[in-house]
Amino acid sequence: MSPYVVVAAVVVVGLLLFVAAMGARRLLAPSAPTRAKLTTYESGVDPVGQGWAQTQVRYFVYAFLYVIFAVDAVYLFPWALVVRSSDLGAASLVEIGVFIGVLLVGLVHAARRGLLRWV
Amino acid sequence: MSEPTKPQPANPASSNARPARRSSGGAVPGILKGLATTARTLARPTHTAEYPDVSPHLPPRSRGVIALLEENCTSCMLCARECPDWCIYIDSHKETIPATTPGGRDRQRNVLDRFAIDFSLCMYCGICIEVCPFDALHWSPEFEYSELDIRDLLHEKDRLGQWMPTVPPPPALDEHAAEPAEVAAVNKPPRTARTPTARPARPTRVTPAPEGEA
Amino acid sequence: MTGADALEVVVRAVAVLAAFLVLPLLVGQTEHKVMAHMQGRLGPMYAGGFHGWAQLVADGVKFVQKEDITPAAADKGVFRFAPAVALVPYLVAMAVIPLSPDVVAADAPAGAVFVLAVTAVGILGTLMAGWASANKYSLLGAMRAAAQLLSYELPMVLAVASVCLAAGTLSLTGIAHAWSPWWLLWQLPGAVVFLVSAVAELQRPPFDMPVADSEIVFGAYTEYTGLRFAFFLLSEYAGIVVMSLLFTVLYLGGWQGPLSDQLGWLWTVLKGFCIAVVVIWLRVAWPRLREDQLQRLAWLVLVPLALAQLALTGVWVVLTA
Amino acid sequence: MTGLDLAFAAVGVVAAASGLLAVTTRHVVHAALWLVVCLGSVAGCYLVLGAELVALVQVLVYVGAVVVLVLFALMLTRAPIGPRAEISTSRLHRALAAVLGAGVTVLLASVLLPLAHPVDRHETDTTVLSRELFGTWVWPFEVLSLLLLAALVAALAVSRVGARSGDVRDGAARAEAELRTARGDAS
């Protein structure tokens, strides 16, 4: 039996936990909504404008860097399985070294551009 | 990489935290110091007072509540008039005491009908206690008189009197303190014949007395 | 699948759920107490009698009875479902972490990658919560959280890859089997990187910029009340449990220790508990980092350090293989 | 019908349904979230078919990272919550898209369904996959790093404008531009 069957069961159990907890809340918690209670919280003053707003582009750079490097990093895991083999070990070390080295150029590039600095 | 933020030192928000870090002896010692301090506190006994279970140890002059010694009150209204937020209410009427000796004069005295302090207004400044010439008001360390309704914090004279037994005795005088003015006046050596040495000293000895009384 | 198999699956899943509901409470109570004593306080003393042991149970009961408010401006469906998305990944992650070779709910062949992948999904819960609240604080908090989680996920992935490399397997049980005390020195930089990234992933102080209560109230969770809010808190503490146990399995040899045949699971739990205490300790000892410091630490310190560790591990393994 | 068939059908149906919802929902962010469900269930498909590492990479990279990137992109736009006229397609376009989608589905189904048979599960050992990757397919693997580098540099070049000019100046520039268009409208 695959361990992933258990994983799937755990996902189901987790969702059941959420549903059951919400059921318990429905039974036990009061519900008395008022207009003021349902307004957006802005430290006590009436909300100004909409909650959805454009945000800084900066965050986008980090997300992009992560995507690139995550794609890079997932190849390290298969590498872990072959690095001890006599025929592929040393060769794969060089291969992965080149692979990461090329991407490191990108990180250095980003750092030199000043994109990793906040201010 | 061009530097658009040239006047950086003028802008404290954008300047790095580096100078501050240097003053604390570097990042790593600072980090370790934080860990060491918290670990040391963990090993030491705590400071928490478990209040409802263990009664707190109050300092001798703590201001808990104002107690009233009703016999001393002459309804002179000084306290009520000096109170910054007007939280003292006094009602009184005059009573005539017939003369005790035949042909003597009838005397009048104030009888206190009501003395109340609204502790929802009181700000515990203690001015009423300071101004009372007859020592009718006293600080009591009693502080557990909360109420569920704010209107119940208006306490009448019988309740104020109940706190009187909790008033601590006045602290003993410091043994090196100057004598109270009255005592000094009584103990003053009787006037003797004028001597040339005593003369310049007298004015300086007389002047402190009125200051002490004031 | 036969009936016996089905029963086994159910028993395993329920056991994971039980651990998920008990261990975070233990960590939470430890946090109450350790934090209090580190600040010269006593912490909760009344609920349950002895030193307030039932404080978190009482909190749970209280949370269930609180009114659940969905703001009028919110995107209702996403808002209501976000706590589940934040919570379930940690539950699933807990399923594959072995306490001992026998005490493991699902011994996945690629357990190390699995835990990383699953915890990465947890970001979505925060992001959904922050976006669906239609609140400016929440949106700011969600953006910060997502940026931080992404930035620290990378050094963590690299550090775990280094361990996998050292062990030559992706299975968590295999890694703990391959562990030897020499790893304590050899994998030390990776361990530090992992611990720092784990604390940052959990958004715990000093990396709690996304919820910085003095600036953006409570970040993505500002609009949440009652049980849904409690679910976010539970997911944070479940996260501490998952990360501490993962650290134990990866860097401290899991169940290895005296009498590991009988008491292996106890060793894992004890070591994990010590790591959890360290995580709590960091919260008490250090102030919050600024957003720019956070990102600089991740990209200019942790990533190069993790890559150096990776190079060290790779070269050493190839040389000694 | 085995349990594997059932599992595959289940995740497949979830993937298809969530994919459909992703393209038909009128909330941009909901579309991204349905995409998460879709990608996650595709990972489930991989898992059922025995490709463990591929499934986990799918979750780690796509669900964890790409979707966060998509959501970031949405948040950088104005992320409207309700149906909005300027981004909604017209009825005609929608009808055409539905016809086209249905046509492609029928075409694919008519080609693929005759080939369908019970799930053929190759339990792909991750070690075998690794050997292939670092032995046979090493050149594509190395070229991939160059591709990623090119993508990174290009993306940084694109996002550089916004990242370098600070918020204040950015906002000022935008306000200025708005002012200019307003004046242009008025004149």
Side-chain angles (χ1 to χ4, degrees), chain D residues 14-105:
Chain D
V14 173
S18 54
L20 200 63
L21 281 167
V23 294
T24 53
T25 180
R26 301 176 75 183
H27 293 193
V28 186
V29 175
H30 288 189
L33 292 174
W34 281 122
L35 185 65
V36 176
V37 179
C38 182
L39 292 171
S41 35
V42 169
C45 292
Y46 293 148
L47 205 56
V48 174
L49 295 178
E52 186 190 18
L53 193 71
V54 180
L56 293 180
V57 166
Q58 166 92 4
V59 174
L60 187 67
V61 174
Y62 280 86
V63 179
V66 167
V67 164
V68 172
L69 197 62
V70 170
L71 287 182
F72 264 133
L74 293 180
M75 287 179 182
L76 295 173
T77 65
R78 296 180 64 192
I81 190 165
R84 290 169 70 100
E86 64 259 43
I87 56 164
S88 301
T89 42
S90 68
R91 258 171 217 287
L92 179 68
H93 283 171
R94 260 180 264 157
L96 281 176
V99 169
L100 195 64
V104 171
T105 311

